[in-house]
Amino acid sequence: MNKSPFMRLTLLLLCAIGVAITNAQPAKKLPIIDMHLHALAANDQGPAPMNIGAPFAHWGCHDPKQPYMQTIMQVFKNGDWTSHPLTSPLTDSALMVQTIAVLNQYNVYGVTSGEPHMVRRWKAAAPKRIINAVMWNYYDVQRVGLSVDSLQQLFQSSEFKVFGELGLQYEGISFSDSLVEPFLAMAEKLDIPVGVHVGPGPPGVIYMGANNYRARLHSATQLEEALVRHPNLRVYAMHAGWPMLDDMLATLYAHPQLYVDLGIIAYAVPKKSFTIISNEW
Ligand SMILES: [Zn+2]
C-alpha cells in the first residue's frame, strides 16, 4: 500500500535523525539508506578546497557591479555566509575514503551516483556500501554516450540499480519534456527507480555557467505529466522541491508513486528556513 505524503515525509525525517538515535545505542546501529550520495571528483564543485555552510546563516548579498562568479567564489573559498563551514578534501581519493569511513561508522548504504567510471571506483573500494546509480543530464547523451540503449545495458546487467540524479533542471529541461520520454519509458519497463533534481542548486547558479537553469523548475508540478504517462515508474524528487513546499505537497498528494529525498536542504539551507519547513510538514 502506498503511504500518505505525511507518512513518507515522516519516514524520511526519521532516517535523518537515525544517526543521532543509533549513536546513543552503539550496539543497535540500524541500517540507513542514503538516497542521495555522489561519487564526484574533488574539483567538480570548483577548485578544492571549497567551503560550504552547514548550514549557511543567510544568502549574503551581491553587488551587481562585479561578476557574480567572483562573489560566490569568495564565499566558497573563505567560508563566508556561515559560522560553520565544512571544508572539502583536496583529492579524489581523500573524498572517497572519508565518505566511505562515514558510511561504515553510521551503517549507511549509499545510492551513489556519478559518471559510471567514478561509481565503479567507489564500488570497488566499498562493495557492500555502494549502490550504483547513474548521474545523468540530457546532453550527456551526446557528451558521454549515455543513450537509451547504453543505459538499458547498464541497468539490465544489474551493475547499476538507480537512474539518477537527473540534472535536467540545470539544462532548463522539465522532467515532463518529450525529450526525456524515451528514457522514462525504458526505466519504467525495467522497473528502475528514477531520482530527479527538483529544487536548489548553488545560489545564483545561472550566473555560474548553468545558463538555462530556471527557478520555476523548483516546482514539483513539473513532474506531473511524466508521472501520469508512467504510473508504474518509481520516482523521487531530490532536494524535495525546496523552497516551493506547497507545490511539493500537492504533487505528493496527487501522485502516490512519488517520493522525496531531502538532499542538501537537510544541512545547508539556513536553519530557520529548514525548521519552518519541517514544522509545516
Ligand atoms: Zn545531488
Side-chain angles (χ1 to χ4, degrees):
M1 194 175 83
N2 281 305
K3 296 179 175 63
S4 71
F6 175 77
M7 273 292 289
R8 280 176 273 160
L9 288 162
T10 305
L11 286 171
L12 279 165
L13 291 171
L14 284 174
C15 285
I17 61 172
V19 167
I21 291 169
T22 52
N23 252 353
Q25 296 174 321
K28 291 184 183 175
K29 276 190 180 169
L30 296 174
I32 297 166
I33 301 175
D34 180 346
M35 295 300 293
H36 196 148
L37 181 62
H38 293 306
L40 295 176
N43 290 329
D44 277 356
Q45 306 294 309
M50 300 282 278
N51 296 284
I52 189 168
F56 283 104
H58 53 78
W59 296 124
C61 60
H62 162 62
D63 180 350
K65 275 188 195 161
Q66 69 175 18
Y68 181 71
M69 189 61 113
Q70 201 174 310
T71 298
I72 198 70
M73 285 309 288
Q74 278 171 12
V75 170
F76 287 138
K77 281 292 161 198
N78 301 338
D80 295 344
W81 302 355
T82 178
S83 56
H84 189 249
L86 292 180
T87 304
S88 66
L90 292 174
T91 66
D92 296 357
S93 119
L95 177 59
M96 181 183 75
V97 167
Q98 289 179 30
T99 306
I100 290 170
V102 172
L103 299 184
N104 286 325
Q105 183 180 357
Y106 294 110
N107 196 15
V108 177
Y109 297 85
V111 174
T112 308
S113 61
E115 291 195 16
H117 74 278
M118 288 295 286
V119 176
R120 288 184 175 118
R121 190 179 303 166
W122 285 48
K123 179 74 172 176
K128 288 186 183 159
R129 293 289 172 194
I130 301 297
I131 300 166
N132 290 8
V134 181
M135 186 180 262
W136 185 82
N137 297 326
Y138 178 74
Y139 289 105
D140 280 349
V141 175
Q142 285 80 30
R143 191 172 61 80
V144 290
L146 288 173
S147 63
V148 169
D149 288 345
S150 58
L151 286 164
Q152 183 160 316
Q153 281 175 20
L154 289 178
F155 296 130
Q156 280 183 322
S157 71
S158 292
E159 185 189 7
F160 284 79
K161 309 287 189 192
V162 176
F163 186 29
E165 181 166 12
L166 271 55
L168 300 166
Q169 186 176 350
Y170 289 95
E171 303 175 302
I173 299 174
S174 161
F175 188 65
S176 296
D177 194 300
S178 59
L179 291 172
V180 191
E181 188 53 30
F183 297 90
L184 301 186
M186 178 269 298
E188 186 180 38
K189 184 180 77 181
L190 300 179
D191 196 19
I192 293 293
V194 175
V196 56
H197 179 108
V198 187
V205 70
I206 297 169
Y207 307 97
M208 298 162 65
N211 302 350
N212 294 321
Y213 180 103
R214 288 295 179 270
R216 62 176 173 270
L217 293 175
H218 284 236
S219 169
T221 59
Q222 61 138 316
L223 307 176
E224 278 209 284
E225 298 311 316
L227 292 167
V228 171
R229 284 197 294 267
H230 301 284
N232 300 120
L233 189 63
R234 302 173 195 275
V235 181
Y236 64 108
M238 306 177 83
H239 309 287
W242 185 92
M244 299 176 80
L245 301 179
D246 287 349
D247 288 7
M248 186 76 247
L249 288 171
T251 311
L252 284 167
Y253 184 83
H255 303 279
Q257 71 272 39
L258 178 63
Y259 286 73
V260 296
D261 76 28
L262 298 175
I264 198 165
I265 68 171
Y267 70 91
V269 302
K271 199 91 176 171
K272 194 173 172 189
S273 164
F274 184 70
T275 308
I276 290 167
I277 291 165
S278 312
N279 288 343
E280 278 186 7
W281 283 2

